[in-house]
Amino acid sequence: TMSLREHALSLFRGAVGTVRPAPMLKRALKLQGDGCPQLLVKGQAFPVKRDLYLVGFGKAVLGMAAAAEEILGDHLTRGIINVPLGIQESLQRAGMQEMLLRPHSKIQVIEGAKNNLPDAEALKGAVAIQELAEGLTADDLLLVLISGGGSALLPAPIPPILLEEKEKLTKLLASRGAAIQELNIVRKTLSVLKGGGLAQLAHPARVVSLILSDVIGDPLDIIASGPTAASSHSVQDCLQILTKYNLLHELPKSVEMVLSSSPSKPNGPENYSHVSNIILGSNTLALEEAKRQAEGLGYAALVLSAAVHGEVGRVAMLYCQLIQLICLGFTGLREGPLSDKLRGNLLQLAAELQIPGLDLDEFLQALQGLGPDRPVCILAGGETTVQLQGTGKGGRNQELALHVGLGLHRAQATGTSSPQGRCEILFFSGGTDGQDGPTEAAGAFCSPGLVAEALQEGLDVEAFLRNNDSYTFFSQFQGGHHLLVTGLTGTNVMDIQAILIRAM
Protein backbone atom coordinates (compact mmCIF):
# COMPACT_ATOMS: atom_id res chain seq x y z
CA THR A 1 0.00 0.00 0.00
CA MET A 2 1.10 3.55 -0.65
CA SER A 3 2.23 5.63 2.30
CA LEU A 4 0.16 8.58 3.45
CA ARG A 5 3.03 10.77 2.26
CA GLU A 6 2.80 9.39 -1.29
CA HIS A 7 -0.95 9.99 -1.23
CA ALA A 8 -0.46 13.55 0.02
CA LEU A 9 2.10 14.28 -2.71
CA SER A 10 -0.20 12.97 -5.38
CA LEU A 11 -3.11 15.11 -4.08
CA PHE A 12 -0.91 18.22 -4.04
CA ARG A 13 0.40 17.57 -7.57
CA GLY A 14 -3.15 16.99 -8.84
CA ALA A 15 -4.42 20.19 -7.23
CA VAL A 16 -1.57 22.28 -8.66
CA GLY A 17 -1.81 20.56 -12.04
CA THR A 18 -5.41 21.64 -12.50
CA VAL A 19 -4.51 25.35 -12.11
CA ARG A 20 -1.34 25.28 -14.19
CA PRO A 21 -1.61 27.86 -16.98
CA ALA A 22 -1.55 25.57 -20.03
CA PRO A 23 -4.15 22.94 -19.04
CA MET A 24 -6.30 25.65 -17.46
CA LEU A 25 -6.36 27.80 -20.63
CA LYS A 26 -6.82 24.83 -22.94
CA ARG A 27 -9.89 23.76 -20.98
CA ALA A 28 -11.42 27.23 -20.96
CA LEU A 29 -10.39 28.92 -24.22
CA LYS A 30 -11.23 27.91 -27.80
CA LEU A 31 -11.23 29.67 -31.15
CA GLN A 32 -13.96 28.63 -33.57
CA GLY A 33 -14.82 29.24 -37.21
CA ASP A 34 -12.84 30.82 -40.03
CA GLY A 35 -15.10 33.32 -41.82
CA CYS A 36 -16.07 35.29 -38.74
CA PRO A 37 -14.16 33.57 -35.94
CA GLN A 38 -15.43 33.48 -32.37
CA LEU A 39 -13.50 33.29 -29.16
CA LEU A 40 -15.19 30.84 -26.79
CA VAL A 41 -14.41 31.27 -23.10
CA LYS A 42 -16.08 28.73 -20.81
CA GLY A 43 -18.98 28.54 -23.24
CA GLN A 44 -19.40 32.32 -23.72
CA ALA A 45 -18.89 33.45 -27.32
CA PHE A 46 -17.07 36.67 -28.33
CA PRO A 47 -16.96 37.47 -32.08
CA VAL A 48 -13.53 38.49 -33.42
CA LYS A 49 -14.64 41.20 -35.86
CA ARG A 50 -11.32 42.80 -36.61
CA ASP A 51 -8.11 42.46 -34.59
CA LEU A 52 -7.41 40.38 -31.52
CA TYR A 53 -4.88 41.80 -29.04
CA LEU A 54 -3.47 40.39 -25.82
CA VAL A 55 -2.02 42.05 -22.70
CA GLY A 56 -1.14 40.53 -19.35
CA PHE A 57 0.60 41.07 -16.02
CA GLY A 58 1.37 38.83 -13.08
CA LYS A 59 3.55 35.97 -11.85
CA ALA A 60 1.76 33.22 -13.82
CA VAL A 61 1.06 35.22 -16.97
CA LEU A 62 4.02 33.99 -19.05
CA GLY A 63 2.68 30.43 -19.08
CA MET A 64 -0.86 31.71 -19.68
CA ALA A 65 0.33 33.79 -22.65
CA ALA A 66 2.26 30.86 -24.17
CA ALA A 67 -0.87 28.68 -24.02
CA ALA A 68 -3.10 31.50 -25.30
CA GLU A 69 -0.86 32.15 -28.32
CA GLU A 70 -0.93 28.47 -29.20
CA ILE A 71 -4.76 28.50 -29.11
CA LEU A 72 -5.17 31.84 -30.96
CA GLY A 73 -2.58 31.18 -33.66
CA ASP A 74 -2.58 33.67 -36.54
CA HIS A 75 -5.67 35.44 -35.22
CA LEU A 76 -3.51 37.17 -32.62
CA THR A 77 -2.39 40.56 -33.95
CA ARG A 78 -0.04 41.64 -31.16
CA GLY A 79 0.55 41.23 -27.42
CA ILE A 80 2.45 42.78 -24.51
CA ILE A 81 2.95 41.10 -21.13
CA ASN A 82 4.60 42.35 -17.95
CA VAL A 83 6.16 39.54 -15.89
CA PRO A 84 8.52 39.31 -12.88
CA LEU A 85 12.22 39.95 -13.39
CA GLY A 86 14.18 36.80 -14.25
CA ILE A 87 11.18 34.54 -14.74
CA GLN A 88 12.07 33.45 -18.29
CA GLU A 89 15.53 32.37 -17.18
CA SER A 90 14.14 30.54 -14.10
CA LEU A 91 11.62 28.59 -16.20
CA GLN A 92 14.28 27.83 -18.82
CA ARG A 93 16.58 26.50 -16.09
CA ALA A 94 13.74 24.42 -14.61
CA GLY A 95 13.18 22.88 -18.06
CA MET A 96 9.63 24.26 -18.24
CA GLN A 97 9.60 24.97 -21.97
CA GLU A 98 5.78 24.85 -22.13
CA MET A 99 5.67 28.02 -20.01
CA LEU A 100 7.83 29.99 -22.44
CA LEU A 101 6.83 31.81 -25.63
CA ARG A 102 7.94 30.36 -28.96
CA PRO A 103 10.65 32.08 -30.99
CA HIS A 104 9.12 34.77 -33.27
CA SER A 105 6.17 35.16 -30.91
CA LYS A 106 3.87 38.13 -31.53
CA ILE A 107 3.88 38.79 -27.80
CA GLN A 108 6.44 41.21 -26.38
CA VAL A 109 7.69 40.29 -22.90
CA ILE A 110 8.78 42.98 -20.45
CA GLU A 111 10.36 41.84 -17.18
CA GLY A 112 10.25 44.14 -14.15
CA ALA A 113 9.13 44.66 -10.55
CA LYS A 114 12.31 43.40 -8.92
CA ASN A 115 11.51 41.97 -5.44
CA ASN A 116 7.82 42.46 -6.27
CA LEU A 117 8.18 46.27 -6.11
CA PRO A 118 7.12 48.60 -8.94
CA ASP A 119 10.18 49.92 -10.83
CA ALA A 120 11.15 51.71 -14.04
CA GLU A 121 10.94 48.51 -16.14
CA ALA A 122 7.44 47.70 -14.84
CA LEU A 123 6.42 51.30 -15.59
CA LYS A 124 7.76 50.97 -19.15
CA GLY A 125 5.62 47.87 -19.63
CA ALA A 126 2.56 49.54 -18.09
CA VAL A 127 2.93 52.52 -20.46
CA ALA A 128 3.20 50.18 -23.47
CA ILE A 129 0.02 48.36 -22.35
CA GLN A 130 -1.73 51.70 -21.82
CA GLU A 131 -0.80 52.88 -25.35
CA LEU A 132 -2.02 49.63 -26.90
CA ALA A 133 -5.35 49.89 -25.04
CA GLU A 134 -5.90 53.53 -26.02
CA GLY A 135 -5.51 52.72 -29.71
CA LEU A 136 -8.29 50.11 -29.91
CA THR A 137 -11.54 50.48 -31.88
CA ALA A 138 -15.06 49.12 -31.38
CA ASP A 139 -14.30 46.15 -33.67
CA ASP A 140 -11.20 45.03 -31.75
CA LEU A 141 -11.07 42.44 -29.00
CA LEU A 142 -8.62 42.76 -26.10
CA LEU A 143 -7.78 39.58 -24.17
CA VAL A 144 -6.35 40.44 -20.72
CA LEU A 145 -4.45 37.83 -18.69
CA ILE A 146 -4.23 38.54 -14.96
CA SER A 147 -2.61 36.69 -12.07
CA GLY A 148 -1.30 37.49 -8.59
CA GLY A 149 1.65 39.87 -8.47
CA GLY A 150 0.01 41.86 -11.26
CA SER A 151 -0.30 44.94 -9.10
CA ALA A 152 3.44 45.64 -8.87
CA LEU A 153 3.76 44.94 -12.59
CA LEU A 154 1.24 47.57 -13.66
CA PRO A 155 2.38 50.83 -12.10
CA ALA A 156 1.17 53.92 -13.96
CA PRO A 157 0.64 56.81 -11.57
CA ILE A 158 -1.71 59.58 -12.68
CA PRO A 159 0.45 62.47 -13.94
CA PRO A 160 2.09 64.54 -12.51
CA ILE A 161 2.68 61.91 -9.77
CA LEU A 162 6.06 60.22 -10.15
CA LEU A 163 6.54 56.50 -9.51
CA GLU A 164 8.94 57.21 -6.63
CA GLU A 165 6.46 59.60 -4.98
CA LYS A 166 3.74 56.95 -5.08
CA GLU A 167 6.19 54.35 -3.76
CA LYS A 168 7.31 56.60 -0.91
CA LEU A 169 3.69 57.17 0.10
CA THR A 170 2.96 53.42 0.02
CA LYS A 171 6.01 52.70 2.21
CA LEU A 172 5.01 55.43 4.67
CA LEU A 173 1.53 53.92 4.96
CA ALA A 174 2.93 50.42 5.43
CA SER A 175 5.36 51.62 8.12
CA ARG A 176 2.39 53.09 10.04
CA GLY A 177 0.58 49.76 10.00
CA ALA A 178 -1.82 50.13 7.07
CA ALA A 179 -3.41 46.84 5.99
CA ILE A 180 -2.83 45.50 2.46
CA GLN A 181 -6.44 46.39 1.52
CA GLU A 182 -5.84 49.98 2.59
CA LEU A 183 -2.58 50.17 0.62
CA ASN A 184 -4.38 48.87 -2.46
CA ILE A 185 -7.18 51.46 -2.17
CA VAL A 186 -4.61 54.29 -2.07
CA ARG A 187 -2.54 52.80 -4.92
CA LYS A 188 -5.66 52.30 -7.04
CA THR A 189 -6.87 55.86 -6.54
CA LEU A 190 -3.53 57.26 -7.75
CA SER A 191 -3.26 54.91 -10.71
CA VAL A 192 -4.21 55.23 -14.38
CA LEU A 193 -4.77 51.52 -15.04
CA LYS A 194 -5.93 50.01 -11.74
CA GLY A 195 -9.47 50.07 -10.39
CA GLY A 196 -11.00 49.56 -13.83
CA GLY A 197 -8.71 52.07 -15.56
CA LEU A 198 -7.42 49.65 -18.18
CA ALA A 199 -10.95 48.58 -19.17
CA GLN A 200 -12.03 52.21 -19.53
CA LEU A 201 -9.03 53.11 -21.70
CA ALA A 202 -9.73 50.13 -23.99
CA HIS A 203 -13.34 51.25 -24.54
CA PRO A 204 -15.07 50.82 -27.02
CA ALA A 205 -13.18 47.57 -27.74
CA ARG A 206 -14.51 44.31 -26.28
CA VAL A 207 -12.44 43.37 -23.20
CA VAL A 208 -12.24 39.76 -21.98
CA SER A 209 -10.20 39.16 -18.81
CA LEU A 210 -9.00 35.70 -17.83
CA ILE A 211 -8.04 35.68 -14.16
CA LEU A 212 -6.01 33.33 -11.96
CA SER A 213 -6.95 34.30 -8.40
CA ASP A 214 -4.49 34.38 -5.50
CA VAL A 215 -6.82 36.26 -3.15
CA ILE A 216 -9.24 34.74 -0.61
CA GLY A 217 -12.80 34.91 -1.97
CA ASP A 218 -11.65 35.86 -5.52
CA PRO A 219 -12.75 39.55 -5.38
CA LEU A 220 -12.37 40.95 -8.92
CA ASP A 221 -11.52 44.47 -7.82
CA ILE A 222 -8.71 43.28 -5.51
CA ILE A 223 -6.82 40.70 -7.64
CA ALA A 224 -3.90 42.68 -9.17
CA SER A 225 -5.85 45.81 -8.02
CA GLY A 226 -8.69 45.16 -10.49
CA PRO A 227 -7.56 46.82 -13.76
CA THR A 228 -10.65 45.54 -15.59
CA ALA A 229 -13.17 45.60 -12.73
CA ALA A 230 -15.25 48.51 -11.44
CA SER A 231 -13.67 49.85 -8.27
CA SER A 232 -15.81 49.76 -5.17
CA HIS A 233 -13.81 52.64 -3.67
CA SER A 234 -13.74 56.41 -4.13
CA VAL A 235 -11.32 59.26 -3.59
CA GLN A 236 -13.15 59.79 -0.26
CA ASP A 237 -12.03 56.32 0.86
CA CYS A 238 -8.46 57.18 -0.07
CA LEU A 239 -8.59 60.48 1.86
CA GLN A 240 -10.05 58.68 4.90
CA ILE A 241 -7.11 56.25 4.94
CA LEU A 242 -4.56 59.06 4.61
CA THR A 243 -6.30 60.91 7.48
CA LYS A 244 -6.38 57.77 9.63
CA TYR A 245 -2.58 57.40 9.37
CA ASN A 246 -2.01 61.13 9.77
CA LEU A 247 -0.47 61.61 6.33
CA LEU A 248 -2.61 64.39 4.84
CA HIS A 249 0.04 67.01 5.66
CA GLU A 250 2.97 64.98 4.33
CA LEU A 251 1.67 64.42 0.80
CA PRO A 252 3.76 65.39 -2.22
CA LYS A 253 2.26 68.34 -4.18
CA SER A 254 1.51 66.07 -7.14
CA VAL A 255 -0.61 63.70 -5.01
CA GLU A 256 -2.49 66.65 -3.49
CA MET A 257 -3.19 67.94 -6.99
CA VAL A 258 -4.55 64.63 -8.26
CA LEU A 259 -6.70 64.06 -5.17
CA SER A 260 -8.22 67.55 -5.24
CA SER A 261 -9.05 67.39 -8.95
CA SER A 262 -10.56 63.87 -8.88
CA PRO A 263 -14.33 63.44 -8.77
CA SER A 264 -15.31 62.65 -5.20
CA LYS A 265 -17.85 59.90 -5.89
CA PRO A 266 -16.84 56.36 -6.92
CA ASN A 267 -16.41 56.14 -10.69
CA GLY A 268 -19.86 54.60 -10.76
CA PRO A 269 -21.52 55.80 -13.93
CA GLU A 270 -18.67 54.45 -16.03
CA ASN A 271 -19.88 51.72 -18.27
CA TYR A 272 -18.47 48.19 -18.00
CA SER A 273 -20.86 46.54 -20.46
CA HIS A 274 -17.94 45.95 -22.87
CA VAL A 275 -16.03 43.94 -20.23
CA SER A 276 -16.23 40.28 -19.20
CA ASN A 277 -14.17 39.15 -16.19
CA ILE A 278 -13.79 35.37 -15.98
CA ILE A 279 -12.04 33.52 -13.12
CA LEU A 280 -10.20 30.58 -14.69
CA GLY A 281 -8.34 29.24 -11.68
CA SER A 282 -8.63 29.58 -7.91
CA ASN A 283 -7.90 27.80 -4.66
CA THR A 284 -11.46 26.38 -4.71
CA LEU A 285 -10.85 24.71 -8.10
CA ALA A 286 -7.55 23.24 -6.90
CA LEU A 287 -9.22 21.82 -3.77
CA GLU A 288 -12.05 20.30 -5.82
CA GLU A 289 -9.46 18.42 -7.88
CA ALA A 290 -7.60 17.25 -4.75
CA LYS A 291 -10.91 15.99 -3.31
CA ARG A 292 -11.66 14.06 -6.51
CA GLN A 293 -8.21 12.43 -6.37
CA ALA A 294 -8.54 11.61 -2.65
CA GLU A 295 -11.85 9.86 -3.29
CA GLY A 296 -10.16 7.95 -6.11
CA LEU A 297 -7.59 6.74 -3.57
CA GLY A 298 -10.39 5.45 -1.32
CA TYR A 299 -10.64 8.33 1.18
CA ALA A 300 -13.80 9.87 2.54
CA ALA A 301 -12.85 13.45 1.62
CA LEU A 302 -14.22 16.77 2.89
CA VAL A 303 -13.19 20.34 2.08
CA LEU A 304 -13.06 22.49 5.23
CA SER A 305 -12.58 25.88 3.51
CA ALA A 306 -10.73 27.64 0.68
CA ALA A 307 -10.43 30.78 2.82
CA VAL A 308 -8.34 29.71 5.83
CA HIS A 309 -6.41 32.68 7.18
CA GLY A 310 -4.97 33.86 10.47
CA GLU A 311 -1.81 33.45 12.51
CA VAL A 312 -0.12 30.05 11.95
CA GLY A 313 -0.16 29.11 15.65
CA ARG A 314 -3.96 29.59 15.90
CA VAL A 315 -4.65 27.80 12.61
CA ALA A 316 -2.42 24.92 13.76
CA MET A 317 -4.51 24.60 16.95
CA LEU A 318 -7.64 24.32 14.81
CA TYR A 319 -6.08 21.50 12.77
CA CYS A 320 -4.77 19.68 15.88
CA GLN A 321 -8.20 19.69 17.57
CA LEU A 322 -9.77 18.48 14.32
CA ILE A 323 -7.26 15.62 14.03
CA GLN A 324 -8.00 14.55 17.63
CA LEU A 325 -11.73 14.57 16.93
CA ILE A 326 -11.37 12.44 13.78
CA CYS A 327 -9.21 9.94 15.68
CA LEU A 328 -11.90 9.64 18.36
CA GLY A 329 -14.27 8.58 15.58
CA PHE A 330 -11.84 5.83 14.59
CA THR A 331 -11.62 4.53 18.17
CA GLY A 332 -15.41 4.44 18.49
CA LEU A 333 -15.46 7.29 21.04
CA ARG A 334 -17.50 9.70 18.97
CA GLU A 335 -19.70 10.61 21.92
CA GLY A 336 -18.44 11.55 25.36
CA PRO A 337 -16.78 14.32 27.35
CA LEU A 338 -13.55 14.41 25.30
CA SER A 339 -15.31 14.80 21.96
CA ASP A 340 -17.63 17.46 23.46
CA LYS A 341 -14.59 19.34 24.71
CA LEU A 342 -12.85 19.13 21.32
CA ARG A 343 -16.00 20.32 19.54
CA GLY A 344 -16.27 23.28 21.92
CA ASN A 345 -12.61 24.21 21.32
CA LEU A 346 -13.09 23.98 17.55
CA LEU A 347 -16.16 26.21 17.54
CA GLN A 348 -14.34 28.78 19.66
CA LEU A 349 -11.25 28.76 17.39
CA ALA A 350 -13.39 29.03 14.25
CA ALA A 351 -15.24 32.01 15.75
CA GLU A 352 -11.89 33.64 16.58
CA LEU A 353 -10.38 33.08 13.13
CA GLN A 354 -13.55 34.29 11.34
CA ILE A 355 -12.96 32.16 8.26
CA PRO A 356 -15.39 33.49 5.62
CA GLY A 357 -18.11 31.04 4.60
CA LEU A 358 -17.10 28.32 7.06
CA ASP A 359 -20.06 26.70 8.81
CA LEU A 360 -18.20 24.52 11.30
CA ASP A 361 -21.37 23.01 12.78
CA GLU A 362 -22.34 21.74 9.37
CA PHE A 363 -18.80 20.50 8.70
CA LEU A 364 -18.68 18.58 12.00
CA GLN A 365 -22.00 16.94 11.15
CA ALA A 366 -20.66 15.83 7.79
CA LEU A 367 -17.62 14.49 9.62
CA GLN A 368 -19.83 12.48 11.97
CA GLY A 369 -21.61 10.99 8.99
CA LEU A 370 -18.38 9.35 7.74
CA GLY A 371 -18.15 5.62 8.33
CA PRO A 372 -15.48 4.43 10.81
CA ASP A 373 -13.86 2.06 8.31
CA ARG A 374 -12.72 4.42 5.54
CA PRO A 375 -9.58 6.55 5.78
CA VAL A 376 -10.37 10.28 6.04
CA CYS A 377 -8.91 13.21 4.09
CA ILE A 378 -9.66 16.80 5.13
CA LEU A 379 -8.61 19.49 2.64
CA ALA A 380 -8.31 23.24 3.12
CA GLY A 381 -6.71 26.23 1.44
CA GLY A 382 -6.04 29.93 1.87
CA GLU A 383 -3.15 31.93 3.25
CA THR A 384 -1.93 32.07 6.84
CA THR A 385 0.27 34.76 8.39
CA VAL A 386 3.44 34.51 10.46
CA GLN A 387 4.44 36.92 13.22
CA LEU A 388 8.16 37.41 12.67
CA GLN A 389 10.12 37.43 15.92
CA GLY A 390 13.28 35.53 15.04
CA THR A 391 15.95 35.73 12.37
CA GLY A 392 15.58 32.19 11.02
CA LYS A 393 14.68 30.96 7.57
CA GLY A 394 11.29 29.47 6.77
CA GLY A 395 7.89 30.09 5.26
CA ARG A 396 4.30 30.07 6.48
CA ASN A 397 3.63 26.50 5.26
CA GLN A 398 6.69 24.96 6.92
CA GLU A 399 5.98 26.90 10.11
CA LEU A 400 2.34 25.74 10.10
CA ALA A 401 3.38 22.08 9.66
CA LEU A 402 5.89 22.38 12.51
CA HIS A 403 3.26 23.97 14.79
CA VAL A 404 0.84 21.12 14.00
CA GLY A 405 3.59 18.58 14.77
CA LEU A 406 4.23 20.26 18.12
CA GLY A 407 0.51 20.42 18.93
CA LEU A 408 0.03 16.69 18.23
CA HIS A 409 3.10 15.87 20.32
CA ARG A 410 1.76 17.88 23.28
CA ALA A 411 -1.65 16.23 23.04
CA GLN A 412 0.05 12.84 23.16
CA ALA A 413 2.35 13.86 26.01
CA THR A 414 -0.47 15.15 28.24
CA GLY A 415 -2.02 11.72 27.63
CA THR A 416 -5.58 13.04 27.93
CA SER A 417 -6.58 9.51 26.88
CA SER A 418 -5.06 10.67 23.62
CA PRO A 419 -7.01 9.15 20.74
CA GLN A 420 -4.04 9.40 18.35
CA GLY A 421 -2.57 6.06 19.34
CA ARG A 422 -4.65 3.92 16.99
CA CYS A 423 -4.43 6.18 13.96
CA GLU A 424 -1.85 6.84 11.30
CA ILE A 425 -1.81 10.61 10.78
CA LEU A 426 -0.17 12.93 8.26
CA PHE A 427 -0.56 16.70 7.90
CA PHE A 428 0.92 18.81 5.11
CA SER A 429 0.82 22.39 3.95
CA GLY A 430 2.24 23.67 0.66
CA GLY A 431 2.33 26.79 -1.51
CA THR A 432 0.88 26.16 -4.97
CA ASP A 433 3.57 28.35 -6.57
CA GLY A 434 6.20 25.87 -5.39
CA GLN A 435 7.86 28.36 -3.05
CA ASP A 436 7.41 28.91 0.67
CA GLY A 437 9.03 32.11 1.87
CA PRO A 438 12.66 32.56 0.79
CA THR A 439 13.30 28.79 0.56
CA GLU A 440 13.34 26.24 -2.25
CA ALA A 441 10.70 24.18 -0.44
CA ALA A 442 6.98 24.55 -1.17
CA GLY A 443 6.01 23.43 2.34
CA ALA A 444 6.35 20.47 4.69
CA PHE A 445 4.81 17.27 6.10
CA CYS A 446 4.45 16.33 9.75
CA SER A 447 3.16 13.44 11.81
CA PRO A 448 2.58 12.97 15.58
CA GLY A 449 5.96 11.29 16.13
CA LEU A 450 7.93 14.13 14.55
CA VAL A 451 8.76 16.11 17.72
CA ALA A 452 9.70 13.05 19.81
CA GLU A 453 12.03 11.84 17.03
CA ALA A 454 13.53 15.33 16.70
CA LEU A 455 14.20 15.46 20.47
CA GLN A 456 16.09 12.15 20.17
CA GLU A 457 18.23 13.77 17.48
CA GLY A 458 18.87 16.70 19.83
CA LEU A 459 16.66 19.17 17.93
CA ASP A 460 14.48 21.48 20.02
CA VAL A 461 11.38 22.23 17.93
CA GLU A 462 10.16 25.05 20.19
CA ALA A 463 13.47 26.89 19.84
CA PHE A 464 13.29 26.63 16.03
CA LEU A 465 9.72 27.99 16.08
CA ARG A 466 10.67 30.90 18.36
CA ASN A 467 13.35 31.84 15.81
CA ASN A 468 10.98 31.43 12.79
CA ASP A 469 13.50 28.85 11.61
CA SER A 470 11.27 26.04 10.34
CA TYR A 471 13.25 25.53 7.11
CA THR A 472 16.51 24.95 9.02
CA PHE A 473 14.72 22.47 11.28
CA PHE A 474 13.25 20.46 8.40
CA SER A 475 16.58 20.53 6.50
CA GLN A 476 18.45 19.12 9.51
CA PHE A 477 15.77 16.61 10.53
CA GLN A 478 15.98 13.17 8.83
CA GLY A 479 17.84 14.59 5.84
CA GLY A 480 15.07 16.96 4.78
CA HIS A 481 12.69 14.04 4.19
CA HIS A 482 9.74 16.06 5.53
CA LEU A 483 10.19 18.99 3.15
CA LEU A 484 7.80 19.33 0.23
CA VAL A 485 10.04 20.26 -2.73
CA THR A 486 8.32 20.65 -6.11
CA GLY A 487 10.26 23.39 -7.91
CA LEU A 488 8.53 26.42 -9.45
CA THR A 489 5.06 25.51 -10.71
CA GLY A 490 4.34 28.58 -12.86
CA THR A 491 0.99 29.13 -11.16
CA ASN A 492 -0.28 30.48 -7.82
CA VAL A 493 -3.62 30.02 -6.02
CA MET A 494 -2.30 30.47 -2.46
CA ASP A 495 -1.73 27.43 -0.18
CA ILE A 496 -3.20 23.96 0.22
CA GLN A 497 -3.39 21.94 3.45
CA ALA A 498 -4.42 18.33 3.95
CA ILE A 499 -5.01 16.02 6.90
CA LEU A 500 -4.83 12.29 6.05
CA ILE A 501 -5.87 9.74 8.69
CA ARG A 502 -6.34 6.01 8.56
CA ALA A 503 -6.83 3.35 11.23
CA MET A 504 -3.71 1.38 12.11
Side-chain angles (χ1 to χ4, degrees), residues 23 247 273 420 424 468:
L247 283 170
S273 60
Q420 288 167 201
E424 192 188 351
N468 298 111

Side-chain angles (χ1 to χ4, degrees), residues 112-318:
K114 190 179 175 182
N115 300 329
N116 205 19
L117 293 167
D119 55 17
E121 285 307 301
L123 180 59
K124 190 177 98 181
V127 169
I129 287 173
Q130 180 181 342
E131 286 169 356
L132 186 150
E134 287 171 334
L136 301 178
T137 72
D139 290 335
D140 293 323
L141 193 145
L142 179 64
L143 192 62
V144 185
L145 307 176
I146 301 177
S147 79
S151 197
L153 287 160
L154 203 66
I158 298 172
I161 302 174
L162 301 173
L163 185 60
E164 38 276 24
E165 292 178 317
K166 190 172 150 188
E167 272 315 280
K168 201 174 147 192
L169 181 59
T170 309
K171 282 197 182 117
L172 257 175
L173 272 167
S175 71
R176 296 192 181 182
I180 182 73
Q181 286 80 355
E182 294 177 314
L183 292 176
N184 281 343
I185 291 170
V186 173
R187 278 187 199 139
K188 240 172 10 178
T189 312
L190 304 176
S191 173
V192 178
L193 298 173
K194 289 169 188 163
L198 177 61
Q200 293 306 325
L201 290 174
H203 186 271
R206 186 87 188 119
V207 177
V208 180
S209 277
L210 307 182
I211 301 166
L212 181 64
S213 167
D214 69 334
V215 182
I216 282 177
D218 311 332
L220 292 173
D221 66 328
I222 303 287
I223 303 163
S225 300
T228 58
S231 174
S232 46
H233 304 105
S234 66
V235 172
Q236 277 333 99
D237 298 320
C238 176
L239 289 169
Q240 260 174 334
I241 292 163
L242 295 171
T243 308
K244 175 178 167 184
Y245 295 103
N246 217 350
L247 283 170
L248 274 185
H249 306 297
E250 295 180 41
L251 297 178
K253 283 277 170 286
S254 58
V255 174
E256 274 183 20
M257 241 171 86
V258 166
L259 288 175
S260 61
S261 63
S262 301
S264 59
K265 56 189 182 325
N267 310 346
E270 284 180 333
N271 185 346
Y272 283 85
S273 60
H274 64 299
V275 185
S276 299
N277 287 306
I278 300 163
I279 299 240
L280 283 198
S282 65
N283 192 274
T284 303
L285 282 167
L287 289 176
E288 278 166 15
E289 178 59 24
K291 179 175 190 274
R292 213 177 56 77
Q293 299 223 357
E295 288 168 345
L297 291 167
Y299 286 87
L302 291 174
V303 173
L304 177 71
S305 164
V308 171
H309 65 107
E311 201 273 316
V312 283
R314 306 302 290 162
V315 174
M317 279 176 81
L318 182 83

Side-chain angles (χ1 to χ4, degrees), residues 24 38 78 166 211 296 382 426 476:
M24 192 175 65
Q38 283 190 322
R78 181 174 158 233
K166 190 172 150 188
I211 301 166
L426 182 86
Q476 291 177 7

Side-chain angles (χ1 to χ4, degrees), residues 382-445:
E383 203 161 87
T384 56
T385 45
V386 170
Q387 299 290 319
L388 284 177
Q389 293 155 327
T391 54
K393 193 174 180 186
R396 57 181 184 260
N397 290 290
Q398 294 163 76
E399 191 154 320
L400 178 60
L402 199 48
H403 268 292
V404 170
L406 185 59
L408 294 175
H409 172 74
R410 284 178 177 157
Q412 233 164 0
T414 52
T416 36
S417 63
S418 172
Q420 288 167 201
R422 302 189 208 165
C423 294
E424 192 188 351
I425 301 164
L426 182 86
F427 172 83
F428 91 88
S429 186
T432 53
D433 58 355
Q435 275 180 316
D436 188 28
T439 73
E440 90 271 17
F445 302 92

Side-chain angles (χ1 to χ4, degrees), residues 35-107:
C36 180
Q38 283 190 322
L39 193 63
L40 290 178
V41 187
K42 282 190 161 179
Q44 295 183 57
F46 303 99
V48 181
K49 295 179 197 155
R50 204 182 82 165
D51 290 338
L52 177 55
Y53 294 91
L54 178 151
V55 297
F57 28 88
K59 293 179 183 175
V61 157
L62 189 62
M64 289 168 81
E69 186 165 30
E70 201 179 310
I71 296 163
L72 302 173
D74 294 336
H75 287 285
L76 180 64
T77 308
R78 181 174 158 233
I80 303 170
I81 57 171
N82 250 12
V83 295
L85 189 68
I87 191 165
Q88 294 178 98
E89 195 196 337
S90 301
L91 292 170
Q92 192 98 46
R93 267 208 315 268
M96 295 168 79
Q97 274 351 87
E98 76 282 5
M99 298 269 185
L100 296 167
L101 294 171
R102 306 251 163 92
H104 317 298
S105 162
K106 289 180 185 169
I107 300 172

